[in-house]
Amino acid sequence: MIGARLTTVMLFLIAGGLVMTASRFKSSSQQQDLIALDLIDLFNQEQTDLSTNPEGYNYCQAPRPTLETYPDPKVEGATLIHSQLFIRHGDRAPISALPLDLDMVWDCSSAYTFTGPRDESTEKSPYHYANVVAHQVVTIPAGSPFASKLMWKGSCAPGQLTPLGALQHRKLGAALRQIYVDKLNLLPEIYDADTVHIRSTDVWRTKQSAENLMAGMYGVQGKSKSATHPTLPILQIHTLPTEVDYLTLNAGACPRISQLRSNIEKTSEVLKQLKDDNVDFSKQLTRILGVEKPWSGYMDTILPRICHNKPLQCREDGIERGWNCINESISNRVLDNVAIQTTEMYRDAEGVFDVLRLGMGPLASEIKDNLLAAKAQGRVRLNFYSGHDTTVLPLLGLFGAEDMRWPPYASSILVELWKTPQGEHFVRVLYNQAVLLTKHNWCNLEWCPLEAFVTHLDRFHTKDLMSECQRQ
Ligand SMILES: *[C@@H]1O[C@H](CO)[C@@H](O)[C@H](O)[C@H]1NC(C)=O
């Protein structure tokens, strides 16, 4: 979910953070202590056990590709020549503060981020080398009449990336470095702006996630010797104005999308059944939480607490029947309902194809262009896109993924282009470390011929997109 639009003031502050420098690598023998692997054990991942349902789904942390899990190419001797990475940002504060949240503390002040506040002692910011450094610091004043009624305590704005979320992407970046730099030589050891193209939605948490992933991949641990090193690389994070972005379904630019989606909501039998099956359940949730929300909204207020081991919501107001507290099984039922809804809204319902065609068509074309450019020996080895659950979900829908459960924090999709010794090109798609399984088997995404993959992407191309985007 994209949270409230950032204010102009915030954008100015963030602008300073969109450029970061990374230290250079000297030799492969020194990589281990340069990359962010030493951070990996800082946070105890066991804390997220509560949200792990029997199938191993964990909303709080997506599985990461690792050297051990990363599959060999199906054809021996094939070379990886290009990859496209799509992520959901890491762990974040809830998107909105509900009545029961006012006494909670959400702390974002120690996040490993460069656009956010940092702790001088933990590491040097790349801005150490710049003349001016602006860090945005969120303060929620205890005495403010507004804050006491409308906001939790601590130092997190709604939807802000937490230190844990920053770390998740450091780890992902470090893991991808082991695979793409050390093992496969897809990317150079030293950051090269021509080989990695970074793109993000214009939202703080996605930009911070992108920074942290790149920091994990190319290390920024203050190892650079000289403050005036002339060749310190600068990372550029490319954004589009939200009005015209296409990393999520942009119903503002394409109003027909909302019309199609509300048609689905009105006509889907699955959604009607979901509603009927949960009349009492949603009534209870609304009573406990004090507000009525869509399933994803309930998820958004419950799961961040679970991911941080915070007590779940209770309303002890002497109600004579029913339950008064959220617990693990209630949370799992919410997640199950969310999954039913997203499967319908992003993959199965009549009309979804048109939603994806209008909303994801531009991104599908870009994925195709990236692949074809790489085949023609273009220089970009990694196209990195930092987005949201609402980036990953429609992409899963576009690929017809079998698993349409809500993408956990720090989810990743890798669209890889491989070349065989015979000179043939194949696409492989990994979702959270494993080959993406499709429901309708339009192609085996462990090893899909490039032409077949492109043909599929072309299905989402619309000739006159803007005229079809008008309401009907
Ligand atoms: C959760 O709460 C419900 C309703 O009070 C109860 O029936 C259920 O046993 C609880 N589950 C757990 C795991 O505590």
Side-chain angles (χ1 to χ4, degrees):
M1 285 157 282
I2 302 184
R5 194 81 61 76
L6 296 169
T7 64
T8 314
V9 174
M10 283 171 84
L11 286 173
F12 271 120
L13 286 169
I14 294 161
L18 287 185
V19 176
M20 65 180 251
T21 56
S23 63
R24 294 177 69 93
F25 294 91
K26 284 209 213 102
S27 74
S28 48
S29 63
Q30 285 181 313
Q31 278 163 23
Q32 283 306 84
D33 60 0
L34 284 176
I35 59 179
L37 289 175
D38 54 325
L39 293 170
I40 280 184
D41 296 320
L42 270 184
F43 283 86
N44 178 5
Q45 292 301 312
E46 303 303 316
Q47 68 179 330
T48 58
D49 267 2
L50 189 56
S51 67
T52 307
N53 74 16
E55 292 94 48
Y57 170 86
N58 182 355
Y59 177 90
C60 304
Q61 167 72 66
R64 250 190 309 280
T66 64
L67 274 181
E68 291 71 39
T69 63
Y70 185 78
D72 285 331
K74 202 164 175 201
V75 168
E76 210 183 310
T79 322
L80 181 65
I81 62 170
H82 171 76
S83 181
Q84 301 183 46
L85 165 64
F86 300 84
I87 60 166
R88 181 189 183 194
H89 55 75
D91 180 272
R92 57 152 169 72
I95 286 292
S96 56
L98 303 190
L100 291 184
D101 294 334
L102 303 186
D103 292 326
M104 297 247 95
V105 178
W106 286 103
D107 179 24
C108 291
S109 62
S110 59
Y112 294 99
T113 67
F114 312 112
T115 53
R118 73 195 159 90
D119 175 356
E120 204 68 45
S121 64
T122 51
E123 88 178 46
K124 278 184 185 164
S125 154
Y127 291 114
H128 186 70
Y129 307 102
N131 291 327
V132 176
V133 178
H135 285 293
Q136 180 173 346
V137 179
V138 176
T139 307
I140 300 169
S144 148
F146 292 154
S148 67
K149 288 282 180 243
L150 299 171
M151 192 45 62
W152 51 64
K153 318 269 182 279
S155 55
C156 296
Q160 188 176 342
L161 197 72
T162 65
L164 177 59
L167 187 68
Q168 289 174 328
H169 277 302
R170 290 241 171 164
K171 292 180 184 179
L172 181 56
L176 288 173
R177 179 183 177 86
Q178 290 188 312
I179 298 166
Y180 282 171
V181 178
D182 302 344
K183 183 183 160 92
L184 296 176
N185 292 314
L186 173 71
L187 300 173
E189 269 187 27
I190 296 169
Y191 172 74
D192 167 13
D194 288 342
T195 56
V196 181
H197 187 269
I198 310 165
R199 162 90 154 80
S200 178
T201 60
D202 195 1
V203 177
W204 197 10
R205 62 179 169 280
T206 51
K207 290 181 285 196
Q208 286 186 323
S209 293
E211 289 179 309
N212 277 280
L213 190 142
M214 291 307 296
M217 193 179 277
Y218 279 107
V220 283
Q221 304 213 29
K223 300 274 178 168
S224 192
K225 294 281 179 290
S226 164
T228 54
H229 200 298
T231 54
L232 273 176
I234 293 174
L235 307 187
Q236 310 273 359
I237 299 179
H238 298 266
T239 62
L240 262 59
T242 305
E243 290 80 353
V244 296
D245 205 348
Y246 48 88
L247 283 185
T248 59
L249 302 174
N250 191 335
C254 186
R256 177 73 181 146
I257 291 174
S258 347
Q259 212 179 16
L260 287 165
R261 283 170 68 88
S262 73
N263 285 348
I264 295 171
E265 276 159 9
K266 271 182 243 153
T267 56
S268 158
E269 284 300 318
V270 173
L271 295 182
K272 183 177 182 307
Q273 189 67 46
L274 179 67
K275 198 169 177 185
D276 292 349
D277 289 347
N278 286 282
V279 174
D280 287 343
F281 185 62
S282 45
K283 220 183 270 173
Q284 285 284 55
L285 283 170
T286 304
R287 185 179 65 77
I288 293 177
L289 298 170
V291 274
E292 195 175 345
K293 291 270 176 189
W295 293 113
S296 59
Y298 293 133
M299 173 183 75
D300 183 66
T301 189
I302 297 169
L303 268 296
R305 291 187 181 216
I306 289 181
C307 298
H308 287 262
N309 258 348
K310 294 184 189 294
L312 298 181
Q313 293 91 335
C314 272
R315 189 173 297 258
E316 307 287 0
D317 50 5
I319 280 294
E320 61 291 346
R321 62 196 171 82
W323 30 278
N324 290 313
C325 293
I326 310 282
N327 65 22
E328 183 186 354
S329 42
I330 288 163
S331 156
N332 281 337
R333 180 164 169 189
V334 169
L335 282 173
D336 288 345
N337 290 347
V338 164
I340 292 169
Q341 188 171 32
T342 55
T343 306
E344 189 68 358
M345 292 299 294
Y346 289 96
R347 194 190 71 192
D348 288 353
E350 175 119 25
V352 167
F353 176 72
D354 284 334
V355 170
L356 296 175
R357 190 169 57 83
L358 300 183
M360 283 284 116
L363 187 57
S365 301
E366 192 167 311
I367 295 171
K368 170 186 166 178
D369 292 346
N370 292 339
L371 287 168
L372 296 183
K375 186 191 171 194
Q377 293 171 348
R379 297 205 58 191
V380 180
R381 297 293 191 90
L382 177 68
N383 281 99
F384 168 28
Y385 296 87
S386 183
H388 304 262
D389 36 25
T390 49
T391 303
V392 174
L393 274 174
L395 273 177
L396 292 177
L398 185 146
F399 292 136
E402 200 165 272
D403 180 3
M404 291 296 293
R405 289 175 297 188
W406 202 269
Y409 290 139
S411 281
S412 64
I413 296 178
L414 289 166
V415 177
E416 299 182 329
L417 182 62
W418 291 81
K419 189 175 178 183
T420 66
Q422 292 74 38
E424 298 161 313
H425 292 83
F426 291 87
V427 174
R428 181 169 78 172
V429 183
L430 303 180
Y431 175 44
N432 292 341
Q433 122 188 145
V435 170
L436 183 79
L437 299 176
T438 57
K439 191 178 174 222
H440 298 299
N441 247 347
W442 56 271
C443 205
N444 174 5
L445 292 184
E446 185 192 355
W447 210 243
C448 180
L450 176 60
E451 305 71 46
F453 194 81
V454 165
T455 301
H456 184 70
L457 293 176
D458 281 342
R459 293 182 63 219
F460 296 87
H461 178 73
T462 305
K463 243 202 179 112
D464 191 355
L465 185 69
M466 286 320 281
S467 72
E468 284 206 43
C469 274
Q470 301 317 304
R471 284 177 183 280
Q472 290 176 18

